[in-house]
Amino acid sequence: MPELPEVEVVRRGLAQWVAGRTVAAVEVRHPRAVRRHLEGTDHFVAALTGRTLTAAHRRGKYLWLPVAEPDGTPSGRALVAHLGMSGQLLVEKKSQPDETHLRARFTFTDGGRELRFVDQRTFGGLAVEDAVGEDLPARLAHIAIDPLDPSFDEDAFSAALRRRRTEVKRALLDQTLIGGVGNIYADESLWRAKLHGARPTDALTRPQVSALLQGVRDVLDEALAQGGTSFDSLYVDVNGQSGYFSRFLAVYGQADRPCPRCGTAIRRESFMNRSSYSCPTCQPRPRTRRQSAEPRTRRQSAEPRTRRTRA
């Protein structure tokens, strides 16, 4: 599934090619593309036709474009998009043949390139939702800001993380705690911070949390610079170009290859019906709480003594 860097790359493309343009027509080719728009397909089309998409924003893995009325005043609504597992927002010339999995098409009054929503697995979707001005649509309010946002509060995050009684990787994937981080970048960040994903969050020290956050920021910045991570043709920007960060992954998808830091073979472990990748040397699996609580006594390590009997 696309994560923060991939979605941010798409946002930047929408800001360049779509923001400020007025919608001439909307064609919905598959009802699942707008299933999140509860008022139905016809209402979705009417809500956008003749309106201007004024900007492009992102929160976590969601995109939204505020909508203005024909006279330029804010409509109080926004076009919200989630790419799901295979969704693409592509800016194409009208002469470009339709994609096999084209689900929706937006044409504009300037006659230029059209915006297409392509989704092979139909897990993504579009909707028009209430949003005041540039403010966040209400349905996205539960998603936390991401660590690249200037307003991200590191102290508040550290306190919230250490209050949780869960594993650190599960916490990184919790979009109500930190936005935009998925399986790939969680593994890469944990490797940089030298933490195993099963480490209990309430046992983390403040320096460890700081190292983890720095790892998250570094890997997201580097992925953005490479256009995101593309493993196949589904992960592309608005111009259909793939990202190249997959060439720089240290652990994710690198099972049995040498760790870039110490040379130990990278291990793969099952995690929430997915996979986790880590270095056994750099990221040792933490002892369980029960193991940590048991005192290491001489009696525990010695063989049981036989009881002497009197003759």
Side-chain angles (χ1 to χ4, degrees):
M1 180 177 291
E3 301 181 27
L4 184 155
E6 291 76 49
V7 180
E8 174 61 16
V9 166
V10 173
R11 187 206 67 79
R12 293 177 182 181
L14 294 174
Q16 177 181 357
W17 293 97
V18 175
R21 300 175 70 190
T22 300
V23 178
V26 180
E27 177 189 5
V28 176
R29 302 279 295 269
H30 195 296
R32 279 185 60 81
V34 295
R35 67 189 181 281
R36 293 181 174 88
H37 189 84
L38 302 182
E39 297 92 339
T41 300
D42 291 342
H43 186 277
F44 176 84
V45 171
L48 293 172
T49 304
R51 272 74 174 184
T52 301
L53 304 177
T54 62
H57 301 284
R58 177 188 56 78
R59 173 62 68 91
K61 303 172 187 178
Y62 282 86
L63 297 159
W64 85 93
L65 295 88
V67 176
E69 299 288 359
D71 63 1
T73 60
S75 70
R77 309 204 82 186
L79 173 61
V80 178
H82 190 274
L83 301 180
M85 295 183 67
S86 60
Q88 301 170 336
L89 285 167
L90 304 175
V91 177
E92 300 279 20
K93 294 180 179 179
K94 291 185 176 181
S95 58
Q96 182 71 20
D98 289 353
E99 292 77 7
T100 301
H101 303 289
L102 177 64
R103 307 306 185 192
R105 185 200 319 271
F106 301 79
T107 57
F108 298 93
T109 56
D110 58 18
R113 297 188 179 205
E114 57 190 34
L115 176 65
R116 300 179 183 180
F117 179 60
V118 179
D119 191 2
Q120 177 177 325
R121 300 170 185 168
T122 63
F123 291 152
L126 308 171
V128 178
E129 301 186 11
D130 292 340
V132 180
E134 304 292 302
D135 291 344
L136 188 71
R139 190 163 63 88
L140 310 186
H142 70 285
I143 301 175
I145 61 175
D146 61 70
L148 299 184
D149 192 303
S151 63
F152 185 86
D153 189 332
E154 182 170 334
D155 290 337
F157 170 78
S158 178
L161 179 68
R162 295 198 293 162
R163 282 197 302 268
R164 302 286 177 100
R165 294 186 63 85
T166 187
E167 298 176 350
V168 64
K169 181 170 179 179
R170 290 177 182 269
L172 284 178
L173 299 180
D174 183 349
Q175 299 297 297
T176 66
L177 182 65
I178 183 171
V181 180
N183 203 35
I184 297 173
Y185 299 113
D187 280 356
E188 292 296 304
S189 303
L190 288 163
W191 177 80
R192 294 182 183 223
K194 299 183 179 180
L195 294 171
H196 190 279
R199 182 72 65 90
T201 53
D202 58 341
L204 294 173
T205 65
R206 288 184 65 86
Q208 286 175 326
V209 175
S210 294
L212 178 60
L213 269 179
Q214 190 59 52
V216 172
R217 289 185 172 118
D218 288 346
V219 75
L220 293 180
D221 279 333
E222 292 170 23
L224 276 170
Q226 297 296 330
T229 301
S230 297
F231 291 108
D232 56 39
S233 60
L234 298 180
Y235 297 84
V236 295
D237 64 13
V238 297
N239 296 310
Q241 300 298 311
S242 298
Y244 297 100
F245 191 66
S246 59
R247 301 176 183 178
F248 302 93
L249 294 171
V251 290
Y252 186 85
Q254 308 301 308
D256 300 324
R257 295 180 181 177
C259 168
R261 189 160 47 211
C262 72
T264 305
I266 298 299
R267 68 186 160 197
R268 174 191 173 276
E269 299 173 284
S270 296
F271 175 79
M272 297 173 61
N273 296 321
R274 289 178 281 182
S275 296
S276 277
Y277 299 88
S278 60
C279 171
T281 300
C282 298
Q283 302 165 267
R285 174 176 283 280
R287 299 173 63 204
T288 65
R289 295 180 187 273
R290 183 175 179 180
Q291 287 173 327
S292 301
E294 290 177 350
R296 291 186 175 181
T297 65
R298 186 176 180 181
R299 179 178 296 274
Q300 286 175 314
S301 60
E303 291 294 329
R305 296 182 180 180
T306 57
R307 180 176 298 177
R308 293 184 179 179
T309 59
R310 294 183 180 180

